[in-house]
Structure formats: C-alpha cells, structure tokens
C-alpha cells in the first residue's frame, strides 16, 4: 500500500511580489549579448549589477530554451552564486530569485547549483537576515533603519533562500545532508512564533521547507524534536483559529496545515522516543503522552477537511477564463496584465496546497487507520458471534476436520443414540435462543460501528471522503490541454487534482480492505454509491475519448485520471468479493478500457475489476460468461498468440498473469452456479490446456536478471495453470 507519492510544489510567481527592474532584458538579440550581460553582474556600478541580475532572472524563466542553454553554457550559475554575497540587497533578491526559479524548472541546473557552494553562500547570509527580521518584528532601530523597501528586500531574500533549499532537497537527494548540516531549524521555527507579524506567504514558505526537510529524514526530525519548544510552537499554530487580525482565513488554514504536516512527519520518531524513555523506566508510554499525538492527528484531519472543501468546477471555469484573457505579451513587458496572471498563480498555489492536504490525509489514514485495533477486534467478535446463526464454521474450524473424524469414529457404534442426542439439542435451541444470538450479533455490530466512529476511520468517512469525491470529478479543464501553453498548465493542474483525490480515496479503500472488511458488509449502500460514482468518472473520461479524436495532451490527462479511477474500482470490487452493482453496459465499458488501454498498468487494473465482478453469484451467469470468455480469448490467448508469431513479443505479461490468477479463483469450485454453464459448456478446460506451452514460452521472454519479480510471477502463474488444469480435469469425476 505505502504512502502517497510526495507532492512537490510548483514554481510560481513569488507571492511576496518580485522587485521589478525597469528596462531589464526579456530577450537577447544574439549569443554575443550573453557574455556582456554576465560581465555586468560583476560591474562596480550597483545599478548595472541589479539590471544584470534581473535580466538573467527574466531570461532563465523565459520560454526560450536556447537562451537558457546559452546562459548555462556561459557559467551563469557560478556568477549568480557569487553575487549572493553582494552588498546591495536588490542584487541579492534578484540573484536568489533567479537561482530558485532555475532550480525549480531544470533538474540538471539544480544539480549544478548544489555543486557550487550554494550552502555556504546561503549560510553566510543567515545571521544578517535573522538580525534584520528580528528588527522588523520588534520595529527597533534596525528595523526602522531598513525602511519599507529594505524590509521588503529582506523578506523576499529569505523567501527565495528557503524556497531554493526546499527545491534542492526535493530534486537533489544528496543536498539533504548538506541542509541538515546548516542547522537552520532554529532560524526557521522562529517564524512560527511570530506568524501573526510576518507575511503569511513567508511563514508558508518556512512550513514548506520544514515539511520537505523532515520527510523521511530522521536526523532533521530528531533535531526539531530536541530544539527547545519547537514542537509546542507547532502545536499552538495547529490549534490557532486565527494567526492575526490581518491574516486571511485561507492563509491561516495553509499555515496551520503546514505546521500539522511537519508534526505528522515527526510523529513516528516522537512516539519512538516516548517508548524508549518508558522502557528505561520499565513502564508503558503514558496514556496522556500518547493522547497528545492522537489529538493532534485528529486536529490535522479537521484542518484538512476544511481546506479541501473546494469547488473544482467553479475554480476550473475561473482558471480557464483567466488563462484565455491574459494577453500573449510577456507579463514583465505588460504590467497591466499581471493582475490576471497573479490571480491564476494564486489559484494554482491553492490547488498545490489542496494536493498536499490530500497527500497528508492519505498518509494519515494509511498510518493511523490501519492500526485501528479496537475496530478490528470488534469486527472479529462480530464474525465469531454470527457463526451460530448461519451454521458455518470459520477456516480455523475447517482445520479440525481430522479431530472431528476421530470423534465420529469413537461414536460410530452409538447408532441411534447419537441421532437422538442431536434431536434433543435441536429441540433445546428454540426461538428465544435465536433471538439471543441475533441480539449478540447486533450488539457486536454496534460495537464495531462505535469503534469505527471513534477511530480515524470515522473522521475520514464523515469529513474527508465527501470532499475527495467532489475533487475527483473531472472538470471542463480536462479538454483544454492542447489549446495553448497556459490552458495546458490549467488542464494539468486540475487533472493532477483529480488524480490525487482518487489516489487518496484508494488509500482509504485499501485500509478497509486489509483491516476492516466487515465494515464493507455493513455498509452496502455506501459501496453501491461509491461504485456508481467511480463508474460515472470513468464514463466521462472514456466517453470523451471514444466519441472524438482528442489531442494527445488531452488523451494523456484522461488516461492519467482514468488509471486512478479504475484502480479505485479494483480495490472496491476486491474488498467486497466482487459484489458491486455492475450492469452489463458497465461491464462492456470496462472491457473497452481493457482493450484500448495505452499501457499495461491500466489494463491490469481493468482485468482486476472484471475478474472480481465475474465472481458474483448466484444469478450472474451471463456476466460471468462475458467476462470469462473475454479474459481467456482476448487477454490471455491473444497475448500468447502475439508472442508466438515470428519475431513477435508480448510486453503485457502482467495482464496475462493477472487474468490467469483470477480465472483460478473464479472457476475454483464446481459448486459455483456459473461453473457448469460457462467453464464446462464453453469448453474452457481444453482452451487452457492449449495455453500451457505458450505460457512457458512467454515466461522465457522475461529477463530474470532485469525483472526478477515479474519473471517469478509469470513462472508461478504457469505452475498454477498446470495444477489448475489437473484439478479441473478430475473435479467432476
């Protein structure tokens, strides 16, 4: 299952506002202009250095890749890093912004920046920035000396520095240790102590930095946990309903969520430290200490719930309007257009944070929901209590058949006496006894419901899932990816939002499947509603692709989201043993997806959904026939035939192996109502016999040295196919 994929923040217009330099270059006439520009970076004239730094920033962020390559080939990175020590604040602001923007959009450049003593250059600036920020907050002599422009330069430089370090941590793994060694945590955590007196965007940048630094970084986690009152400061921010009179509700929510995200990163090491201390005392972790972190988890989920209450359809319509009305001219060259650009950037930033909230929710539920021991215990008790009502034993009971046979042998001479005893026992079990059993079962189910309601699962179901489903709905932006660069960016953002929401929902379903299947059985109405929702998402995506010939960009985004939606269907169908309300038309739609999927990953998911639907019984013989024949003829046989052709190869090994594994389960018992009319009458056994040799050949096409797990799965499927053929050949004899 694992955690949600780490969300990296998109490079966007600096929310504090960039320091615009009149006349700064936005284009170069020839490659000879580049050395001239770079030479001015080291000019003795401060105004020349400011102009050159601003020009380099503009050019590095332009759409002209040729200009960027010319700058990089002329060693612009070294020149910019060198200017971080400039005595003129305007130069440092422009240079730090240029380095951040470059690292955010060019991985190769990020690697190069990390090699150019960037950490030492930034470290040398920290004491001066810390003193200036302290003066700004206290409005003392230092703060007053800076003036309005000076204060803006300090805050912009700090924002750029932290953003640059965050991007380096995200893109250059080796940089994490370097940033650890910079010992920046005291400096950064101080922003949260005075969050009401700093620009919210700077505190948010600090939160992003800490969240990235403490992600799977034990050294940073221990440093933060050991730094004075850092944890209490973050706890207080999470609890705060308002950071300051001038801080908006949205900005407050972002800062609170980031503080909570950092605390969630720290939680595993914090609990580990509590356990170590308790072991030294020969005791358990106190309930009070453990409850502090549990309460924090719930508080973070509540923040997430409020933050993701977002209407994606309204936002998509607004974003498309903004993207379509922004003039083609460069924003720097046309300042009058910047308001629209900035609103679009703010909307994009909000969506970045929503995706982070979804990642946070998914990871909280994966970590916390799966350990809902009380709910699991209640589920187990519910199942145990229910056994007498249906007369069926558990799998463990089936393991005692040998003992039961011995008991039968001991009493085989008892004759009618044994039957009489059985009749007496039957007579003793009356309506009152049945009522007692049903009451016990009802009580156990009620206990399960209460345990769920009190757990993270309950919070998730009530507060998070409804918003997830709303965010998962495709918007009008999905069809605009090919129309222009700006529209493509909007389409990408909203498709990523759909994908992340569905991924978070899938994490939720996986935890239920693995730990609390009884909950599915008790809430068939929710299962039906979720199935219909997921089908609706898939139909919208597939319908658009099937009814027209969409551009490649649109098609890529559709299939990106569709892959997640089908994955959710697979988890849901698997969790309920295929008992989803799939109609014949929906089955045909899934077959269409499986047949037209652009990659084998989506095809495997579609095969998984279909195979689980085929397990429904009784009363679904026609559906079973349609799916069973499709899996045999079009997924397995067609792939094996393609592999058998001269020079032919079959790259889709996973769908074949998945289809075979499902067939073994679907037709594993002749007692199933569809086994005789489908498996026997459709002569699937002879077809499977013919596939044995081609399956061996298919396995040989998978290089064990490069793809060991895939080869092992293919070999196992082949072995199981041989055993299954032998079993089915004798099953009815």
């Amino acid at each position: 299952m694992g955690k949600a994929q780490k969300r990296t923040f998109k490079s966007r217009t600096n929310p504090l506002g960039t320091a615009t330099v009149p006349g700064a270059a936005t284009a170069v006439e020839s490659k000879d202009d580049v050395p001239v520009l770079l030479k001015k970076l080291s000019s003795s004239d401060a105004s020349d250095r400011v102009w050159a730094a601003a020009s380099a920033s503009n050019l590095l962020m332009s759409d002209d890749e040729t200009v960027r390559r010319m700058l990089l080939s002329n060693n612009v990175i070294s020149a910019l890093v060198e200017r971080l020590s400039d005595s003129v604040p305007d130069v440092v602001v422009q240079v730090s912004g240029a380095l951040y923007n470059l690292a955010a959009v060019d991985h190769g450049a990020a690697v190069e920046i990390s090699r150019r003593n960037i950490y030492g250059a930034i470290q040398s600036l920290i004491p001066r920035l810390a003193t200036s920020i302290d003066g700004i907050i206290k409005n003392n002599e230092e703060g007053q000396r800076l003036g309005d422009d000076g204060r803006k330069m300090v805050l912009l430089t700090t924002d750029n520095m932290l953003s640059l370090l965050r991007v380096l941590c995200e893109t250059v793994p080796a940089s994490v240790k370097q940033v650890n060694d910079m010992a920046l945590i005291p400096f950064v955590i101080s922003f949260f102590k005075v969050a009401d007196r700093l620009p919210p965007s700077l505190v948010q940048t600090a939160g992003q930095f800490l969240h990235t630094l403490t992600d799977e970084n034990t050294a940073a986690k221990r440093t933060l946990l050991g730094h004075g009152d850092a944890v209490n400061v973050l706890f207080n921010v999470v609890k705060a309903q308002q950071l300051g009179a001038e801080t908006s509700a949205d900005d407050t929510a972002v800062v609170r969520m980031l503080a909570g995200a950092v605390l969630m990163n720290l939680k595993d090491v914090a609990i580990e430290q509590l356990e170590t201390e308790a072991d030294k005392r020969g005791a358990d972790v106190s309930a009070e200490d453990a409850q502090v972190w549990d309460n924090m988890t719930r508080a973070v989920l509540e923040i997430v719930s409020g933050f993701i209450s977002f209407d994606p359809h309204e936002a998509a319509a607004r974003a498309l309007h903004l993207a379509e009305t922004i003039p083609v001219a460069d924003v720097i060259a046309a300042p009058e257009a910047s308001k629209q650009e900035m609103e679009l950037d703010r909307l994009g930033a909000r969506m970045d944070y929503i995706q982070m909230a979804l990642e946070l929710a998914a990871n909280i539920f994966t970590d916390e929901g799966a350990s809902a021991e009380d709910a699991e215990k209640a589920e187990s008790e519910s199942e145990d209590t229910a056994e007498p009502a249906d007369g069926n034993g558990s799998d463990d009971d089936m393991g005692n058949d040998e003992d039961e046979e011995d008991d039968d042998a001991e009493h085989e001479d008892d004759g009618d006496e044994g039957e009489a005893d059985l009749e007496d026992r039957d007579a003793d079990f009356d309506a009152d006894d049945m009522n007692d059993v049903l009451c016990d079962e009802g009580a156990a189910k009620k206990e399960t419901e209460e345990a769920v309601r009190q757990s993270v699962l309950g919070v998730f179901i009530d507060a998070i899932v409804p918003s997830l489903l709303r965010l998962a709905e495709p918007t009008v932006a999905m069809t605009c990816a090919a129309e222009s660069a700006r529209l493509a960016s909007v389409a990408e953002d909203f498709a990523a939002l759909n994908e992340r929401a569905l991924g978070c929902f899938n994490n939720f379903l996986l935890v239920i499947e693995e730990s609390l299947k009884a909950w599915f059985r008790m809430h068939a109405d929710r299962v039906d509603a979720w199935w219909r929702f997921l089908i609706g998402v898939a139909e919208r995506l597939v319908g658009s692709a099937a009814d027209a010939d969409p551009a490649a960009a649109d098609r890529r985004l559709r299939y990106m989201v569709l892959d997640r939606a089908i994955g959710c269907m697979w988890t849901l169908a698997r969790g309920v043993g295929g008992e989803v309300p799939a109609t014949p038309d929906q089955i045909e739609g899934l077959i269409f997806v499986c047949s037209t999927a652009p990659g084998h990953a989506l095809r495997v998911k579609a095969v998984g959904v279909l195979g689980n639907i085929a397990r429904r019984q009784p009363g679904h013989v026609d559906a079973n026939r349609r799916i069973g024949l499709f899996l045999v003829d079009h997924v397995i046989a067609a792939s094996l035939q393609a592999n058998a052709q001269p020079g032919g190869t079959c790259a889709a090994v996973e769908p074949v192996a998945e289809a075979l594994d499902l067939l073994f389960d679907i037709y594993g018992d002749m007692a199933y109502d569809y086994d005789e009319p489908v498996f026997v009458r459709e002569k699937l056994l002879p077809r499977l016999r013919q596939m044995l040799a081609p399956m061996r050949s298919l396995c040989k096409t998978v290089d064990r040295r490069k793809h060991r797990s895939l080869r092992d799965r293919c070999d196992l499927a082949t072995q199981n196919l041989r055993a299954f053929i032998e079993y089915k050949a004798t099953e009815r004899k």
Side-chain angles (χ1 to χ4, degrees):
M1 181 163 52
K3 289 195 172 186
Q5 183 180 355
K6 180 70 178 174
R7 172 67 181 170
T8 56
F9 292 89
K10 224 174 183 179
S11 175
R12 301 187 185 277
T13 301
N14 193 316
L16 286 172
T18 54
T20 303
V21 176
T26 58
V28 293
E29 298 297 329
S30 71
K31 63 180 181 180
D32 296 334
D33 293 343
V34 173
V36 175
L37 184 153
L38 294 178
K39 187 175 181 179
K40 285 192 175 184
L41 269 175
S42 55
S43 170
S44 59
D45 188 332
S47 61
D48 281 348
R49 298 199 304 275
V50 172
W51 176 88
S55 297
S57 181
N58 292 343
L59 295 171
L60 287 169
M61 288 304 294
S62 73
D63 294 331
D64 193 336
E65 290 284 343
T66 303
V67 173
R68 186 188 303 171
R69 284 196 297 269
M70 283 194 292
L71 284 165
L72 292 173
S73 65
N74 279 271
N75 209 19
V76 68
I77 290 176
S78 292
L80 292 172
V81 172
E82 184 180 341
R83 290 269 60 85
L84 283 174
S85 60
D86 201 292
S87 59
V88 178
D90 281 356
V91 176
V92 179
V93 166
Q94 295 294 338
V95 166
S96 60
L99 288 169
Y100 159 53
N101 289 331
L102 180 60
V105 300
D106 189 326
H107 178 264
V111 173
E112 186 64 22
I113 290 170
S114 69
R115 294 172 178 166
R116 299 294 178 180
N117 193 34
I118 187 66
Y119 309 103
I122 292 177
Q123 183 112 46
S124 66
L125 287 172
I126 298 301
R128 190 174 74 194
L129 292 172
T131 300
S132 296
I133 291 174
D134 187 60
I136 292 170
I137 293 168
K138 295 177 179 177
N139 197 28
N140 59 18
E141 183 178 344
E142 170 67 15
Q144 293 174 7
R145 182 187 63 79
L146 288 170
D148 290 342
D149 288 343
R151 287 193 287 270
K152 182 178 180 181
M153 293 300 116
V154 168
L155 298 175
L156 270 170
T157 300
T158 305
D159 194 289
N160 287 337
M161 297 294 189
L162 293 178
S163 296
L164 172 58
L165 291 174
R166 171 183 57 78
V167 169
L168 293 178
C169 287
E170 289 173 348
T171 57
V172 186
S175 67
V176 173
K177 184 180 185 304
Q178 299 269 14
V179 177
N180 283 347
D181 294 341
M182 292 175 71
L184 293 174
I185 283 176
F187 173 63
V188 179
I189 204 69
S190 67
F191 296 172
F192 289 91
K193 296 180 180 180
V194 290
D196 59 329
R197 284 174 280 169
L198 288 173
S201 55
L202 178 57
V203 184
Q204 291 165 11
T205 296
Q208 292 177 22
F209 170 77
L210 283 179
H211 179 240
T212 298
L213 185 64
T214 55
D215 182 58
E216 299 182 0
N217 182 355
T218 302
K221 294 179 184 183
R222 287 176 177 161
T223 300
L224 189 51
L225 286 166
H227 176 68
D229 60 348
V231 172
N232 286 335
V233 168
L234 293 173
F235 268 111
N236 289 335
V237 171
V238 169
K239 296 173 185 175
Q241 295 301 313
Q242 186 69 34
L243 294 181
E246 298 182 3
T247 306
S248 71
D250 282 349
D251 284 333
T252 296
V254 170
V255 173
R256 293 177 66 209
M257 184 180 69
L258 286 165
V262 175
L263 288 169
M264 289 305 303
N265 281 349
L266 301 180
K267 184 175 179 179
D268 61 334
V269 174
I271 296 298
E272 179 184 305
Q273 290 180 352
L274 289 173
E275 290 172 345
T276 300
E277 292 169 4
D279 286 343
K280 290 178 181 178
R281 301 192 306 268
D284 295 328
V285 175
S286 71
E288 183 179 354
D289 287 340
Q291 193 63 43
V292 167
W293 287 95
D294 289 341
N295 291 341
M296 185 273 299
T297 300
R298 291 174 179 274
V300 173
L301 274 180
E302 289 174 6
I303 296 169
V304 168
S305 173
F307 199 79
I308 63 178
S309 297
F310 175 79
D311 186 340
H313 299 286
E314 180 181 331
R318 180 60 181 166
L320 291 176
H321 171 73
L322 291 168
E324 288 168 344
T325 55
I326 293 174
V328 176
D330 196 333
V331 173
I332 296 171
E336 67 277 3
S338 64
K339 289 184 178 179
Q340 295 158 305
E341 184 81 13
M342 289 176 67
E343 183 182 349
L344 191 59
D345 273 357
R346 283 196 299 271
L347 180 57
R350 172 72 188 272
M351 291 178 63
D352 280 346
Y353 283 121
I354 289 173
Q355 290 197 56
M356 179 187 171
L358 294 173
E359 172 199 318
L360 184 57
N363 289 340
I364 288 175
F365 191 67
T366 301
D367 293 341
E368 308 292 330
S371 61
E373 295 178 1
D374 291 339
E376 288 187 65
K377 181 180 178 182
E379 174 189 348
S380 176
E381 291 173 354
S382 173
E383 291 176 345
D384 291 344
T385 307
E387 282 177 11
D390 59 16
N392 293 326
S394 67
D395 291 340
D396 292 338
D397 294 334
M398 293 174 65
N400 295 326
D401 286 347
E402 186 175 339
D403 294 337
E404 291 173 2
E405 289 176 6
D406 291 341
D407 291 339
D408 290 342
E410 289 178 15
H411 298 289
E412 63 182 359
D413 294 331
D414 292 346
D416 295 338
E417 183 181 350
E419 294 180 8
D421 289 342
L422 181 60
E423 290 173 0
D424 290 341
R425 289 197 297 271
D426 287 343
D428 290 338
F429 190 82
D430 58 16
D432 290 336
D433 295 319
M434 177 59 75
N435 287 333
D436 289 341
V437 168
L438 293 176
C439 287
D440 289 342
E441 182 180 354
K445 287 183 177 180
K446 185 176 180 180
E447 185 179 350
T448 301
E449 288 285 15
E450 181 62 19
V452 166
R453 192 180 67 81
Q454 296 292 337
S455 71
V456 171
L457 171 59
V459 177
F460 215 86
I461 292 169
D462 295 336
I464 304 295
V465 170
S467 293
L468 288 184
L469 300 185
R470 184 168 56 253
L471 294 174
E473 294 177 356
T475 68
V476 293
M478 185 69 71
T479 61
C480 302
E483 295 183 20
S484 72
R486 283 198 180 97
L487 290 174
S489 179
V490 170
E492 192 84 35
D493 282 349
F494 280 92
L497 183 62
N498 298 149
E499 182 190 30
R500 183 54 61 96
L502 287 166
C504 185
F505 185 52
N506 196 45
N507 269 37
F508 161 73
L509 294 174
L510 283 167
V511 170
I512 302 295
E513 180 198 8
E514 293 181 2
S515 305
L516 294 163
K517 278 190 178 180
W519 189 90
F520 274 144
R521 293 195 297 272
M522 291 187 290
H523 294 276
D525 55 333
R526 289 186 187 263
V527 171
D528 289 358
W530 291 340
W531 173 263
R532 288 193 295 271
F533 170 80
L534 292 169
I535 281 291
V537 170
E539 286 178 343
R540 180 165 181 179
L541 296 167
V542 175
S544 299
D547 297 340
D549 184 18
D554 289 346
R555 190 183 306 112
R556 179 182 64 81
L557 294 182
R558 286 197 188 100
Y559 278 116
M560 179 179 81
V561 178
L562 181 63
D563 183 89
R564 290 285 192 179
I566 299 297
C568 289
M569 288 186 203
W570 188 12
T571 306
L572 184 61
R574 194 172 58 236
V576 297
E579 292 299 327
V580 291
T583 66
D585 286 345
Q586 292 169 1
I587 291 171
E588 292 302 322
L590 288 164
I591 287 173
F592 174 81
V593 170
C594 189
S595 302
T596 60
H600 64 268
L602 176 55
R603 200 174 190 209
V604 168
K605 293 181 176 72
V607 165
V609 180
L610 287 165
N612 278 279
I613 293 172
R615 294 166 57 195
R616 296 182 301 175
Q617 57 144 344
H620 298 279
V621 174
D622 289 340
N624 179 277
R625 179 182 292 105
R626 178 69 176 104
I627 295 171
L629 294 179
F630 172 75
L631 294 179
V632 170
D633 294 339
H634 297 280
V635 177
I636 303 172
S639 298
L640 295 178
Q641 289 169 8
N643 184 66
Q645 297 299 318
T649 59
C650 176
V653 175
E654 293 100 322
V656 173
E658 183 65 33
L660 280 172
D661 287 343
L662 287 164
L663 285 175
F664 303 152
D665 289 336
I666 295 167
Y667 301 109
D669 193 330
M670 69 177 186
Y672 297 155
D673 71 334
Y674 51 68
D675 190 83
E676 194 276 333
V678 179
F679 191 86
V680 175
R681 294 185 192 175
E682 298 294 342
K683 297 181 171 48
L684 296 190
L685 183 58
R687 299 191 202 188
L688 292 175
R689 282 198 181 101
Q690 294 173 358
M691 295 175 184
L692 193 54
M695 271 300 298
R696 295 193 189 99
S697 299
L698 178 64
C699 290
K700 294 177 182 177
T701 66
V702 182
D703 190 332
R704 189 183 298 277
R705 292 169 297 181
K706 296 180 180 178
H707 308 288
R708 184 174 185 84
S709 61
L710 181 58
R711 175 60 184 268
D712 288 346
R713 185 181 184 191
C714 194
D715 287 340
L716 181 61
T718 304
Q719 295 170 15
N720 288 340
L721 175 60
R722 182 172 57 251
F724 183 73
I725 290 170
E726 293 174 356
Y727 161 69
K728 294 299 287 187
T730 59
E731 184 184 29
R732 293 180 178 271
K733 293 182 179 178

